């Protein structure tokens, strides 16, 4: 392989990219826009849930119970409803997402030592939000019940309330969250978006760059030249690898500086691993460009083979372990999952090559395999 000829092809490709100012601008604006729009628009935090309360008792205890939800940051109190029949229209119009119905004789039954059933109505159109809302309601109800029981024990035994509270809760659960103690979804989403964007954009650039040569007919200049297949492919890919590497640096800065995601790992490991992933994704674009002949077809095929795997089979939204067996097999056959492990490990856990070398190895094998397939499928044809 002649390095000078590779450099000549790369220089020619870069000049064509610069000449097309719209394409050059989009190569940097598209990743930036995706990071900002999706980063700010996608959040897994369930807060400010619109809530209405029906208090049919109107007692001091029922008001205290209601204030547990009204004062919570997880709920956005919309007001009291006079009757449960007012709730269905509010739920249907999306004015509220949950409702608490406190029955009559709430205080009387509790003070008499008898259980009371409080009904909770939750909008189940979005299961994830509904399950989270149910968890919030259960937690607040448990806290209220424990405090009420502690007050009852304190009064009956004549002991301080703090001691009674310990008796009311003999087993106290303390949960500690590792790696993301504040449970901020931005810290989890922003780094993973780097994987998604680098899975989508480099294949688009590469596929369009090579297919554009076919549509214009300039590919025949390569067919009749002394440039070998390997020199041509390397020269074509170098500018797009460079652009994608620059985008990766920009995305890293946005994730750490704008979204505040902590980076606990080593850049000496993260940078080469990211470059290897970019080579994988540009290799994917190379294979697509060899298979299709038009830019429209290249965009459609690239969209199918990059967007869907990067979102559904990478662990960004749904953990891989929660997928079906066939979906897990698909995830393990794609590079997105392995780079997601690297992203999570370097950003959140502060681990490096010792723990993540299997993922790096798979990406290396994937890159070699894609480049080999692209090389084998690309043939120089004699000019006619």
């Amino acid at each position: 392989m002649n390095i000078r000829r590779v450099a000549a092809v790369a220089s020619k490709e870069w000049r064509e990219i610069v000449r097309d100012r719209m394409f050059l601008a989009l190569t940097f604006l598209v990743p930036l826009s995706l990071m900002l729009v999706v980063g700010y628009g996608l959040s897994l935090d369930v807060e400010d849930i619109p809530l209405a309360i029906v208090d049919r008792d109107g007692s001091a205890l029922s008001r205290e119970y209601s204030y547990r939800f009204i004062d919570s940051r997880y709920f956005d109190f919309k007001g009291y409803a006079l009757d449960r029949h007012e709730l269905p229209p509010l739920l249907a119009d999306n004015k509220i997402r949950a409702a608490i119905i406190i029955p009559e004789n709430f205080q009387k039954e509790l003070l008499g030592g008898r259980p009371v059933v409080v009904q909770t109505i939750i909008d189940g159109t979005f299961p994830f939000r509904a399950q989270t809302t149910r968890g919030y309601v259960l937690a607040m109800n448990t806290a209220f019940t424990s405090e009420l029981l502690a007050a009852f024990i304190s009064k009956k035994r004549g002991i301080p309330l703090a001691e009674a509270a310990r008796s009311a809760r003999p087993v106290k659960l303390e949960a500690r969250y590792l790696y993301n103690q504040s449970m901020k979804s931005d810290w989890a989403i922003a780094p993973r978006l780097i994987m998604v964007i680098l899975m989508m954009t480099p294949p688009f650039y590469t596929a369009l760059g090579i297919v554009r040569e076919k549509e214009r007919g300039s590919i025949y200049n390569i067919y009749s030249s002394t440039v070998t297949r390997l020199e041509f492919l390397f020269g074509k890919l170098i500018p797009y690898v460079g652009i994608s590497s620059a985008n990766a640096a920009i995305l890293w800065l946005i994730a750490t500086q704008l979204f505040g995601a902590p980076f606990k790992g080593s850049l000496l490991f993260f940078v080469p691993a990211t470059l290897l992933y970019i080579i994988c994704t540009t290799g994917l674009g190379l294979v697509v460009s060899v298979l299709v002949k038009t830019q429209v077809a290249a965009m459609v095929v690239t969209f199918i083979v990059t967007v869907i795997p990067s979102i559904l089979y990478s662990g960004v939204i749904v953990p891989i372990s929660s997928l079906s067996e066939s979906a897990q097999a698909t995830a393990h056959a794609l590079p997105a999952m392995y780079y997601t492990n690297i992203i999570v490990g370097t950003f959140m856990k502060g681990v490096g090559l010792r723990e993540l070398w299997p993922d790096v190895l798979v990406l290396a094998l994937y890159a070699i395999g894609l480049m080999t397939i692209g090389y084998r499928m690309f043939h120089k044809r004699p000019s006619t």
Side-chain angles (χ1 to χ4, degrees):
M1 185 171 61
N2 191 310
I3 301 300
R4 295 181 60 184
R5 287 200 290 262
V6 173
V9 175
S11 177
K12 170 182 173 294
E13 185 66 21
W14 176 250
R15 288 196 301 270
E16 289 187 359
I17 294 173
V18 173
R19 191 178 297 118
D20 190 346
R21 294 183 179 180
M22 179 62 72
F23 182 78
L24 177 63
L26 290 177
T27 56
F28 292 99
L29 289 178
V30 169
L32 178 63
S33 301
L34 286 174
M35 187 71 171
L36 294 176
V37 172
V38 180
Y40 281 113
L42 180 62
S43 176
L44 300 180
D45 296 332
V46 181
E47 296 181 355
D48 296 323
I49 304 165
L51 174 74
I53 297 177
V54 177
D55 187 357
R56 302 179 62 185
D57 190 43
S59 61
L61 270 183
S62 67
R63 286 192 295 271
E64 182 181 346
Y65 185 82
S66 300
Y67 289 149
R68 297 300 179 96
F69 298 91
I70 295 173
D71 296 337
S72 171
R73 67 184 178 93
Y74 299 112
F75 293 96
D76 180 15
F77 181 60
K78 295 300 183 180
Y80 286 98
L82 297 178
D83 190 80
R84 62 180 302 165
H85 299 293
E86 297 181 8
L87 299 178
L90 297 175
L91 289 165
D93 293 340
N94 297 323
K95 294 181 179 179
I96 63 172
R97 297 292 183 180
I100 305 293
I101 303 176
I102 303 175
E104 296 177 353
N105 300 321
F106 178 81
Q107 177 173 294
K108 180 180 179 181
E109 295 294 324
L110 287 178
L111 295 179
R114 292 179 291 273
V116 178
V117 177
V118 176
Q119 185 178 11
T120 303
I121 301 176
I122 301 174
D123 183 353
T125 53
F126 191 13
F128 173 76
R129 182 184 60 203
Q131 290 289 344
T132 306
T133 303
R134 179 177 178 271
Y136 292 159
V137 173
L138 289 176
M140 293 181 184
N141 184 78
T142 301
F144 177 82
T145 303
S146 298
E147 293 181 11
L148 189 65
L149 181 59
F152 179 78
I153 294 175
S154 174
K155 182 178 180 181
K156 186 175 182 179
R157 297 181 182 178
I159 59 177
L161 185 61
E163 183 179 346
R166 289 191 294 269
S167 301
R169 292 183 294 176
V171 178
K172 183 179 180 181
L173 177 65
E174 289 188 1
R176 296 183 61 191
Y177 298 102
L178 299 180
Y179 313 123
N180 187 0
Q181 290 85 351
S182 57
M183 295 298 289
K184 292 183 178 179
S185 64
D186 288 347
W187 291 10
I189 294 297
R192 287 174 168 87
L193 284 179
I194 299 177
M195 179 281 302
V196 175
I197 295 171
L198 292 182
M199 182 71 181
M200 294 168 54
T201 53
F204 270 101
Y205 303 155
T206 307
L208 292 177
I210 297 179
V211 173
R212 183 171 51 192
E213 297 258 14
K214 295 181 181 180
E215 286 192 339
R216 294 176 178 177
S218 57
I219 193 71
Y220 290 100
N221 297 329
I222 302 299
Y223 293 160
S224 59
S225 69
T226 58
V227 176
T228 64
R229 290 184 295 168
L230 192 60
E231 293 166 350
F232 171 72
L233 294 177
F234 265 75
K236 292 289 287 186
L237 295 181
I238 286 174
Y240 299 110
V241 171
I243 291 173
S244 300
S245 299
N247 282 329
I250 295 172
L251 296 176
W252 182 88
L253 288 174
I254 293 175
T256 55
Q257 303 303 316
L258 188 59
F259 291 102
F263 185 81
K264 303 176 182 178
S266 170
L267 284 175
L268 294 177
F269 167 72
F270 179 73
V271 171
T274 300
L275 180 61
L276 185 59
Y277 179 65
I278 290 172
I279 294 173
C280 283
T281 55
T282 52
L284 192 59
L286 171 63
V287 174
V288 172
S289 68
V290 174
L291 294 174
V292 300
K293 296 182 179 180
T294 65
Q295 294 187 61
V296 174
M299 288 189 290
V300 172
V301 175
T302 305
F303 178 85
I304 294 173
V305 300
T306 60
V307 176
I308 296 176
S310 65
I311 296 176
L312 298 182
Y313 300 108
S314 61
V316 171
I317 298 178
V318 180
I320 301 298
S321 58
S322 299
L323 299 176
S324 63
E325 292 185 1
S326 59
Q328 289 186 34
T330 303
H332 283 80
L334 299 171
M337 183 197 74
Y338 301 99
Y339 187 64
T340 300
N341 294 338
I342 294 174
I343 283 284
V344 174
T346 52
F347 269 85
M348 308 299 294
K349 299 182 178 181
V351 297
L353 183 61
R354 174 182 292 183
E355 295 81 8
L356 298 172
W357 70 263
D359 300 289
V360 175
L361 178 61
V362 173
L363 288 181
L365 295 175
Y366 213 102
I368 295 172
L370 286 173
M371 292 298 177
T372 302
I373 293 172
Y375 172 76
R376 292 293 184 183
M377 295 178 64
F378 180 78
H379 300 285
K380 288 188 64 176
R381 302 184 183 89
S383 59
T384 56

